[in-house]
Coordinates of all heavy atoms in Angstrom, one line a residue:
G207 N -7.7 -12.2 0.3 CA -6.8 -11.5 1.2 C -5.3 -11.7 0.8 O -4.4 -11.3 1.6
T208 N -5.1 -12.4 -0.3 CA -3.7 -12.5 -0.7 C -3.1 -11.2 -1.3 O -3.8 -10.6 -2.1 CB -3.6 -13.6 -1.8 OG1 -4.1 -14.9 -1.2 CG2 -2.1 -13.8 -2.2
T209 N -2.0 -10.8 -0.7 CA -1.4 -9.5 -1.2 C -0.1 -9.7 -1.9 O 0.6 -10.7 -1.8 CB -1.2 -8.6 0.1 OG1 -0.3 -9.3 1.0 CG2 -2.5 -8.3 0.8
D210 N 0.2 -8.7 -2.7 CA 1.5 -8.7 -3.4 C 1.9 -7.3 -3.6 O 1.1 -6.4 -3.7 CB 1.3 -9.4 -4.8 CG 2.7 -9.8 -5.4 OD1 3.7 -9.8 -4.7 OD2 2.7 -10.0 -6.6
Y211 N 3.2 -7.0 -3.6 CA 3.8 -5.7 -3.7 C 4.9 -5.6 -4.7 O 5.7 -6.5 -4.9 CB 4.3 -5.3 -2.3 CG 3.3 -5.2 -1.2 CD1 3.0 -6.4 -0.5 CD2 2.5 -4.1 -1.0 CE1 2.0 -6.4 0.5 CE2 1.5 -4.1 0.0 CZ 1.3 -5.2 0.7 OH 0.3 -5.2 1.7
E212 N 5.0 -4.4 -5.3 CA 6.2 -4.1 -6.1 C 7.4 -4.0 -5.2 O 7.3 -3.5 -4.0 CB 5.9 -2.8 -6.9 CG 6.8 -2.5 -8.0 CD 8.0 -1.6 -7.5 OE1 7.8 -0.9 -6.5 OE2 9.1 -1.8 -8.1
D213 N 8.5 -4.4 -5.7 CA 9.7 -4.5 -4.8 C 10.0 -3.2 -4.1 O 10.4 -3.2 -2.9 CB 10.9 -4.9 -5.6 CG 10.9 -6.4 -6.0 OD1 10.0 -7.1 -5.4 OD2 11.6 -6.8 -6.8
S214 N 9.9 -2.1 -4.7 CA 10.4 -0.8 -4.1 C 9.5 -0.3 -3.0 O 9.9 0.5 -2.2 CB 10.4 0.3 -5.2 OG 9.1 0.7 -5.6
V215 N 8.3 -0.9 -2.8 CA 7.4 -0.5 -1.7 C 7.3 -1.6 -0.6 O 6.6 -1.3 0.4 CB 6.0 -0.1 -2.3 CG1 6.1 0.9 -3.4 CG2 5.2 -1.3 -2.7
K216 N 7.9 -2.7 -0.9 CA 7.7 -3.8 0.1 C 8.3 -3.3 1.5 O 9.4 -2.7 1.5 CB 8.5 -5.0 -0.3 CG 7.8 -5.8 -1.4 CD 8.6 -7.1 -1.8 CE 7.8 -7.8 -2.9 NZ 8.6 -9.0 -3.4
G217 N 7.6 -3.6 2.5 CA 8.0 -3.1 3.9 C 7.6 -1.7 4.2 O 7.7 -1.3 5.4
R218 N 7.1 -1.0 3.2 CA 6.7 0.4 3.5 C 5.2 0.6 3.2 O 4.6 1.4 3.9 CB 7.5 1.4 2.5 CG 9.0 1.3 2.7 CD 9.7 2.5 2.0 NE 9.5 2.4 0.5 CZ 8.9 3.4 -0.2 NH1 8.5 4.5 0.4 NH2 8.8 3.2 -1.5
F219 N 4.7 -0.1 2.2 CA 3.2 0.1 1.9 C 2.5 -1.2 2.3 O 3.0 -2.3 2.2 CB 3.1 0.2 0.4 CG 3.6 1.6 -0.2 CD1 4.3 2.5 0.6 CD2 3.3 1.9 -1.5 CE1 4.8 3.7 0.0 CE2 3.7 3.1 -2.0 CZ 4.4 4.0 -1.3
T220 N 1.2 -1.0 2.7 CA 0.3 -2.1 3.0 C -1.0 -1.9 2.4 O -1.6 -0.8 2.6 CB 0.2 -2.2 4.6 OG1 1.5 -2.3 5.2 CG2 -0.7 -3.4 4.9
I221 N -1.5 -2.9 1.6 CA -2.8 -2.8 1.0 C -3.7 -3.6 1.9 O -3.3 -4.7 2.5 CB -2.8 -3.4 -0.4 CG1 -4.1 -3.1 -1.1 CG2 -2.4 -4.8 -0.4 CD1 -4.1 -3.4 -2.6
S222 N -4.9 -3.1 2.1 CA -5.9 -3.8 3.0 C -7.3 -3.5 2.5 O -7.6 -2.7 1.7 CB -5.7 -3.4 4.4 OG -5.9 -2.0 4.6
R223 N -8.2 -4.3 3.1 CA -9.6 -4.1 2.9 C -10.3 -4.0 4.2 O -10.1 -4.8 5.1 CB -10.2 -5.2 2.1 CG -11.7 -5.1 1.8 CD -12.2 -6.2 1.0 NE -13.6 -6.0 0.6 CZ -14.3 -6.9 -0.2 NH1 -13.7 -8.0 -0.6 NH2 -15.5 -6.7 -0.5
D224 N -11.2 -3.0 4.3 CA -12.0 -2.8 5.6 C -13.4 -2.5 5.1 O -13.6 -1.7 4.3 CB -11.4 -1.7 6.4 CG -12.2 -1.5 7.7 OD1 -12.8 -2.5 8.2 OD2 -12.1 -0.4 8.3
K225 N -14.4 -3.2 5.7 CA -15.8 -3.1 5.2 C -15.9 -3.7 3.9 O -14.9 -4.1 3.2 CB -16.2 -1.7 5.2 CG -16.0 -0.9 6.5 CD -16.4 0.6 6.3 CE -16.0 1.4 7.5 NZ -16.3 2.8 7.3
A226 N -17.1 -3.8 3.4 CA -17.4 -4.6 2.2 C -16.9 -3.8 1.0 O -16.6 -4.4 -0.1 CB -18.8 -4.9 2.0
N227 N -16.8 -2.4 1.1 CA -16.6 -1.6 -0.1 C -15.4 -0.7 -0.1 O -15.3 0.2 -0.9 CB -17.8 -0.8 -0.4 CG -18.1 0.3 0.6 OD1 -17.6 0.2 1.8 ND2 -18.7 1.4 0.3
S228 N -14.5 -0.9 0.9 CA -13.4 0.0 1.1 C -12.1 -0.7 1.1 O -11.9 -1.7 1.8 CB -13.5 0.8 2.3 OG -14.7 1.6 2.3
W229 N -11.1 -0.2 0.3 CA -9.8 -0.7 0.2 C -8.8 0.4 0.6 O -9.2 1.6 0.3 CB -9.5 -1.3 -1.1 CG -10.1 -2.6 -1.4 CD1 -9.5 -3.8 -1.4 CD2 -11.5 -2.8 -1.8 NE1 -10.4 -4.8 -1.7 CE2 -11.6 -4.2 -2.0 CE3 -12.5 -2.0 -2.1 CZ2 -12.8 -4.8 -2.4 CZ3 -13.7 -2.6 -2.5 CH2 -13.9 -4.0 -2.7
Y230 N -7.7 0.1 1.1 CA -6.7 1.1 1.5 C -5.3 0.8 1.1 O -5.0 -0.4 0.8 CB -6.8 1.3 3.0 CG -8.1 1.5 3.6 CD1 -8.9 0.5 4.0 CD2 -8.6 2.8 3.6 CE1 -10.2 0.7 4.5 CE2 -9.9 3.1 4.1 CZ -10.7 2.0 4.5 OH -12.0 2.3 5.0
L231 N -4.5 1.9 0.9 CA -3.1 1.7 0.8 C -2.4 2.6 1.8 O -2.4 3.8 1.7 CB -2.7 2.1 -0.7 CG -1.2 1.9 -1.0 CD1 -0.9 0.4 -1.0 CD2 -0.8 2.5 -2.3
Q232 N -1.9 1.9 2.8 CA -1.1 2.7 3.9 C 0.3 2.8 3.4 O 1.0 1.8 3.1 CB -1.2 1.9 5.2 CG -0.3 2.5 6.3 CD -0.9 3.9 6.8 OE1 -2.1 4.0 6.9 NE2 -0.1 4.9 7.0
M233 N 0.8 4.0 3.3 CA 2.1 4.3 2.8 C 2.9 5.0 3.8 O 2.6 6.1 4.3 CB 2.0 5.2 1.5 CG 1.1 4.7 0.5 SD 1.1 5.7 -1.1 CE 0.4 7.2 -0.5
N234 N 4.0 4.3 4.3 CA 4.9 4.8 5.3 C 6.3 5.0 4.7 O 6.6 4.5 3.6 CB 5.0 3.8 6.5 CG 3.6 3.6 7.1 OD1 2.8 4.5 7.2 ND2 3.4 2.4 7.6
S235 N 7.1 5.8 5.4 CA 8.4 6.1 5.0 C 8.5 6.5 3.6 O 9.3 6.0 2.7 CB 9.3 4.8 5.2 OG 9.3 4.4 6.5
L236 N 7.6 7.5 3.3 CA 7.5 7.9 1.9 C 8.8 8.6 1.4 O 9.5 9.3 2.2 CB 6.3 8.9 1.7 CG 5.0 8.2 1.7 CD1 3.8 9.1 2.0 CD2 4.8 7.5 0.3
K237 N 9.1 8.4 0.1 CA 10.2 9.0 -0.5 C 9.8 9.9 -1.7 O 8.7 9.7 -2.2 CB 11.1 7.8 -1.1 CG 11.5 6.8 -0.1 CD 12.3 5.7 -0.7 CE 12.7 4.6 0.3 NZ 13.4 3.5 -0.4
P238 N 10.6 10.8 -2.1 CA 10.3 11.7 -3.2 C 9.9 10.9 -4.4 O 9.1 11.3 -5.2 CB 11.5 12.6 -3.4 CG 12.1 12.6 -2.0 CD 11.9 11.3 -1.4
E239 N 10.6 9.8 -4.6 CA 10.3 8.9 -5.8 C 8.9 8.3 -5.8 O 8.5 7.6 -6.7 CB 11.4 7.9 -6.1 CG 11.8 7.1 -4.9 CD 13.0 7.6 -4.1 OE1 13.0 8.8 -3.9 OE2 13.8 6.8 -3.7
D240 N 8.2 8.4 -4.6 CA 6.9 7.8 -4.6 C 5.9 8.8 -5.1 O 4.7 8.5 -5.2 CB 6.5 7.5 -3.1 CG 7.3 6.4 -2.5 OD1 7.6 5.4 -3.2 OD2 7.8 6.5 -1.4
T241 N 6.3 10.0 -5.4 CA 5.4 11.0 -6.0 C 4.8 10.5 -7.3 O 5.5 10.1 -8.2 CB 6.2 12.3 -6.3 OG1 6.6 12.9 -5.0 CG2 5.3 13.4 -7.0
A242 N 3.5 10.6 -7.4 CA 2.8 10.1 -8.5 C 1.3 10.3 -8.3 O 0.8 10.6 -7.2 CB 3.0 8.6 -8.7

């Protein structure tokens, strides 16, 4: 459960795991530079 983030997404993105086989990336306050 230890998490780490790239500086530009800290406070906006959250990585998590739910259930045994699913991981998520919640992305808030998205910016055009997040396009990828």
Side-chain angles (χ1 to χ4, degrees):
T208 301
T209 60
D210 196 17
Y211 298 92
E212 193 270 329
D213 285 346
S214 70
V215 308
K216 284 182 180 176
R218 299 189 299 123
F219 291 11
T220 303
I221 189 170
S222 63
R223 180 180 186 177
D224 182 24
K225 307 176 187 176
N227 67 335
S228 300
W229 285 259
Y230 303 96
L231 186 67
Q232 177 67 44
M233 306 186 295
N234 299 327
S235 302
L236 283 162
K237 304 175 181 180
E239 52 263 44
D240 294 318
T241 295

